[in-house]
């Protein structure tokens, strides 16, 4: 391609307060490595953003360059490796070296509840990353499209076929499959919020009932105090979701 390549490490992109994190393995040689933004400017990006737009996770269906006005909703996209590995096949040492930057990114994305690994190699890289800190067994985390696992830090890891032209052309992945996976991830987050809402309504009901009863007993006063404490904790957790 007759243009100047970015050719440097790239960071992630999207909503830093988002609850969904999409993880690829590394910048594409003629995508992120060329444009300077992850999943931008190649055919994998074309398909990915058609799906994200359909799932209402982005404001547009294309990702062409860093100044195209793209925005993500409640979603952040990054890669485990920040540079293009030789032959697109990173060594264990290359992964381990880059994991410190990936960890810094994960630590800064404090609201993330769900990690969607784009492709088996990215999925395996996520497991390897967690094995740096936790005792995990590979046999307990088997990649499959839509496979869902709880990680030691309570985040949910979901496997997803990579949006590559090969996978699209061979019908391994299509718009319907990928959009369904993204929408299911959004439903998981919505369910967490709904559970907290039900919990808070129940506590408010308990408190209202107790305060509505004249001449409450000492035991009832204690129960009200406990309920108020849980309400305070619940509100803090709810606001962080």
């Amino acid at each position: 391609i007759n243009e100047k390549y970015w050719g440097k490490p790239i960071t992630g992109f999207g909503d830093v307060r988002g609850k969904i994190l999409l993880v690829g393995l590394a910048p594409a040689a003629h995508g992120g490595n060329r444009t300077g933004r992850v999943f931008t400017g190649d055919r994998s990006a074309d398909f990915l953003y058609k799906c994200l737009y359909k799932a209402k996770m982005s404001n547009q269906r294309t990702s062409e360059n860093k100044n195209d006005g793209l925005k993500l909703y409640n979603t952040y996209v990054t890669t485990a490796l920040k540079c293009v590995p030789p032959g697109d096949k990173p060594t264990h040492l290359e992964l381990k070296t880059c994991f410190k930057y990936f960890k810094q990114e994960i630590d800064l994305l404090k609201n993330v509840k769900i990690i969607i690994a784009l492709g088996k190699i990215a999925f395996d890289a996520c497991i390897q990353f967690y094995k740096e800190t936790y005792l995990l067994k590979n046999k307990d985390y088997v990649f499959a499209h839509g496979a869902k696992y709880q990680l030691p830090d309570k985040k949910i890891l979901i496997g997803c076929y990579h949006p590559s032209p090969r996978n699209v052309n061979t019908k391994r992945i299509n718009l319907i499959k990928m959009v369904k996976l993204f929408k299911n991830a959004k439903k998981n987050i919505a369910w967490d919020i709904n559970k907290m809402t039900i919990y808070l309504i129940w506590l408010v009901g308990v408190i209202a009932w107790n305060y509505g009863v004249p001449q409450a007993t000492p035991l009832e006063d204690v129960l009200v105090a406990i309920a108020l404490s849980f309400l305070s904790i619940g509100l803090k957790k709810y606001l962080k979701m």
Side-chain angles (χ1 to χ4, degrees):
I1 299 175
N2 187 24
E3 63 179 274
K4 185 177 179 180
Y5 274 48
W6 173 259
K8 292 178 284 188
I10 63 169
T11 59
F13 168 80
D15 182 358
V16 295
R17 294 181 294 275
K19 297 178 178 67
I20 297 176
L21 175 64
L22 272 60
V23 179
L25 175 64
H30 302 296
N33 185 54
R34 175 172 63 86
T35 62
R37 189 175 71 191
V38 62
F39 280 105
T40 298
D42 64 2
R43 291 171 65 191
S44 293
D46 292 343
F47 179 74
L48 175 63
Y49 276 94
K50 282 181 185 177
C51 298
L52 289 173
Y53 180 76
K54 190 80 173 175
K56 298 183 179 179
M57 294 165 70
S58 71
N59 69 324
Q60 60 191 46
R61 63 176 66 246
T62 58
S63 176
E64 297 175 349
N65 60 70
K66 293 176 71 174
N67 301 310
D68 60 6
L70 177 64
K71 293 181 181 178
L72 294 178
Y73 303 135
N74 205 23
T75 305
Y76 193 86
V77 184
T78 192
T79 52
L81 284 170
K82 305 307 176 187
C83 302
V84 180
D88 286 332
K89 294 180 180 179
T91 66
H92 177 74
L93 179 59
E94 285 169 334
L95 278 170
K96 192 176 180 68
T97 301
C98 226
F99 277 163
K100 63 181 179 182
Y101 304 111
F102 187 39
K103 184 180 187 306
Q104 289 173 6
E105 210 166 22
I106 295 286
D107 289 344
L108 288 170
L109 299 169
K110 298 185 183 299
N111 291 337
V112 168
K113 307 292 183 186
I114 292 177
I115 298 174
I116 299 176
L118 298 173
K120 183 182 186 304
I121 303 176
F123 182 90
D124 291 343
C126 287
I127 297 301
Q128 189 62 41
F129 169 74
Y130 271 86
K131 286 173 72 175
E132 297 286 312
T133 306
Y134 303 98
L135 183 62
L136 302 183
K137 295 180 180 178
N138 288 349
K139 66 181 181 65
D140 295 331
Y141 300 87
V142 179
F143 175 81
H145 184 78
K148 184 167 62 174
Y149 303 95
Q150 186 173 63
L151 295 165
D153 61 357
K154 306 303 181 184
K155 292 182 179 63
I156 301 297
L157 175 64
I158 300 176
C160 176
Y161 286 135
H162 192 278
S164 67
R166 177 184 292 179
N167 283 343
V168 175
N169 292 338
T170 58
K171 312 296 185 186
R172 174 171 285 183
I173 188 67
N174 57 40
L175 188 74
I176 294 173
K177 282 183 182 179
M178 187 163 274
V179 170
K180 182 179 179 181
L181 186 145
F182 289 159
K183 286 184 175 180
N184 284 340
K186 290 173 66 179
K187 285 179 183 177
N188 284 337
I189 291 172
W191 173 237
D192 282 343
I193 293 175
N194 287 337
K195 284 192 294 184
M196 183 59 70
T197 302
I198 293 168
Y199 167 71
L200 292 175
I201 291 172
W202 176 78
L203 279 176
V204 169
V206 169
I207 292 167
W209 182 84
N210 275 282
Y211 273 118
V213 176
Q215 298 178 340
T217 66
L219 177 60
E220 289 173 334
D221 287 335
V222 170
L223 291 173
V224 169
I226 292 172
L228 284 169
S229 296
F230 276 107
L231 178 60
S232 175
I233 295 169
L235 281 170
K236 288 177 182 177
K237 288 184 178 180
Y238 181 79
L239 291 173
K240 287 180 181 179
M241 282 186 171

